[in-house]
Amino acid sequence: YQLDDYARDLARLFAAYAADRPKIVGHSLGGMIALTWAREHPDVADRLAIEDSPMRSASNAEAMFDGWIALASGTVEAAAAYYATAYPDWSDEERQRRAESITLTATPVFEAMRHRDPNLD
């Protein structure tokens, strides 16, 4: 499932609800999906807000995606242990939630995002 697939799903959702000039907020992967959708529909959204989305032009982008792929490939326990070390200020509940979330994400999602798309940089 590639970003373009998600963006097509988003377009279908807007069509199904007859959303005219939607205001879109995208967080993390949702932000990348919103940007991909907006690239194909530049005059449709009323507003677009992107929060905490990885941009491939960051100097550490490849390492960031590689790290996510490694976490997604492991166990919930291993991801929670990583988060405990990397983010000691997070609560146990937050570490557990993040660990469950990343290990439920299929690694091809991160692999597709890792490959550069000059239209999204």
Side-chain angles (χ1 to χ4, degrees):
Y1 215 68
Q2 305 291 318
L3 286 172
D4 288 334
D5 298 315
Y6 286 111
R8 278 191 293 278
D9 287 348
L10 185 59
R12 288 183 193 113
L13 181 70
F14 290 150
Y17 284 98
D20 183 37
R21 308 285 298 154
K23 293 171 179 64
I24 304 169
V25 176
H27 175 259
S28 193
L29 173 59
M32 294 183 73
I33 294 165
L35 288 171
T36 302
W37 173 86
R39 182 184 67 210
E40 297 298 320
H41 306 89
D43 299 323
V44 176
D46 180 53
R47 289 187 174 68
L48 188 65
I50 307 299
E51 178 191 12
D52 201 24
S53 291
M55 297 287 112
R56 290 175 194 81
S57 59
S59 62
N60 66 339
E62 286 189 14
M64 179 179 59
F65 286 110
D66 289 344
W68 289 343
I69 291 166
L71 286 171
S73 300
T75 65
V76 173
E77 294 77 19
Y82 165 79
Y83 289 135
T85 301
Y87 305 98
D89 295 337
W90 287 4
S91 69
D92 289 340
E93 293 80 18
E94 178 67 7
R95 287 191 289 269
Q96 185 68 24
R97 185 185 67 76
R98 298 269 184 127
E100 289 171 1
S101 176
I102 200 158
T103 56
L104 287 173
T105 304
T107 56
V109 171
F110 296 121
E111 291 163 0
M113 291 168 41
R114 185 180 186 278
H115 297 289
R116 292 186 72 84
D117 180 345
N119 295 312
L120 293 179
D121 284 345

